[in-house]
Amino acid sequence: MKTLEQEYAGMIYSQVEKFGKRYPAEDSPERKSYGSMAHKLPILVLSAGLVQALAFVESRGKEQHKVLLEHLAKVTVDATVDVFLAQSREAALLDYIYLTRKTLLALKWYKRFAQSVLKIEPGEEEG
């Protein structure tokens, strides 16, 4: 039996690795955009709250940010971005707290794999 952390690590590694293969150049703007947001999003969630952070990322309109949201939605709620966003907006308090914790747990792995797989360091700005 795997822990939630182990499940997330495996799923997220696969997603990030596949994304990296799609954009093989280490200095590609797509990698930087995805990786940069993977580093920033946990801080946004902690400072602004889950709903506001997700709405901010969605409003940016960048393709790689949308991909990160799709990945995050698949891992945390096994659904589409629209369902994930709706759940974050409409959840009762305890469900919202649980969803926030699950999201932060997942984002920890996106951040780690942005560094190790995509080679994007914290503070590296998007291209």
Side-chain angles (χ1 to χ4, degrees):
M1 184 169 162
K2 291 183 180 181
T3 66
L4 186 59
E5 183 124 9
Q6 289 171 314
E7 288 179 25
Y8 279 7
M11 288 188 288
I12 293 166
Y13 179 82
S14 296
Q15 290 174 332
V16 174
E17 183 182 45
K18 185 176 179 182
F19 182 84
K21 287 180 180 176
R22 199 161 132 206
Y23 302 101
E26 285 189 15
D27 63 344
S28 75
E30 293 85 5
R31 276 180 176 232
K32 284 186 179 181
S33 182
Y34 184 98
S36 176
M37 188 53 71
H39 285 293
K40 292 176 187 175
L41 192 50
I43 297 162
L44 287 171
V45 171
L46 289 171
S47 62
L50 181 63
V51 174
Q52 293 87 339
L54 296 176
F56 170 77
V57 175
E58 182 187 36
S59 73
R60 297 287 305 264
K62 292 191 175 185
E63 185 60 34
Q64 291 72 35
H65 296 171
K66 290 179 183 178
V67 171
L68 179 59
L69 281 181
E70 289 169 7
H71 287 171
L72 190 57
K74 180 67 177 163
V75 168
T76 56
V77 295
D78 193 23
T80 65
V81 172
D82 290 337
V83 170
F84 182 43
L85 294 173
Q87 283 185 9
S88 70
R89 287 190 307 266
E90 299 164 7
L93 180 60
L94 291 178
D95 294 331
Y96 180 78
I97 291 169
Y98 182 63
L99 183 58
T100 300
R101 287 183 179 216
K102 284 175 58 176
T103 302
L104 286 170
L105 178 65
L107 286 170
K108 176 175 70 172
W109 288 106
Y110 284 105
K111 197 173 162 180
R112 286 180 180 165
F113 293 136
Q115 273 185 287
S116 63
V117 175
L118 300 180
K119 310 297 186 212
I120 305 299
E121 295 298 323
E124 204 168 322
E125 293 304 315
E126 301 173 31

